[in-house]
Amino acid sequence: MLDKLKQLKQLKSLHDAAKSERFEASKDGVKIVINGNMQIEELVLNPELDTQRQAQVVKECFNDAIRNAQMGMAQKLQSLNIGL
């Protein structure tokens, strides 16, 4: 029982730390930065791209940033060595 409480405390700590983690992806002058809670912190667009290309690049950057965040948070979770 105490081990489960310890694990919950570690997970809460990880969740709180996720707010300060930042993950970035950029391509063709477009940049997206998200935090560990998968919320967009920063979005930079490239005005030189046409609307259709801009939408495609934003989508690609967002997906890359999400993937980076998931991998980063998985590594942090693994480093806690919690047997879930």
Side-chain angles (χ1 to χ4, degrees):
M1 181 68 168
L2 289 176
D3 286 341
K4 293 291 182 190
L5 290 174
K6 183 179 177 183
Q7 289 175 348
L8 285 174
K9 185 176 179 179
Q10 288 176 321
L11 287 172
K12 170 80 169 106
S13 175
L14 177 66
H15 178 72
D16 291 342
K19 294 176 188 175
S20 63
E21 292 286 327
R22 293 172 54 99
F23 303 92
E24 179 180 319
S26 60
K27 181 178 182 178
D28 294 342
V30 173
K31 178 173 118 175
I32 294 180
V33 178
I34 64 172
N35 64 27
N37 288 335
M38 310 302 172
Q39 297 172 326
I40 295 175
E41 296 279 324
E42 183 180 350
L43 173 62
V44 177
L45 300 175
N46 181 350
E48 295 178 9
L49 298 177
D50 65 39
T51 305
Q52 186 177 8
R53 180 68 181 142
Q54 186 88 263
Q56 180 64 34
V57 173
V58 167
K59 181 177 134 184
E60 291 171 8
C61 285
F62 184 72
N63 289 335
D64 288 345
I66 291 289
R67 197 170 12 263
N68 293 342
Q70 289 171 335
M71 289 174 41
M73 297 314 294
Q75 288 174 347
K76 283 203 174 287
L77 187 59
Q78 187 176 24
S79 73
L80 289 177
N81 208 14
I82 297 175
L84 295 175

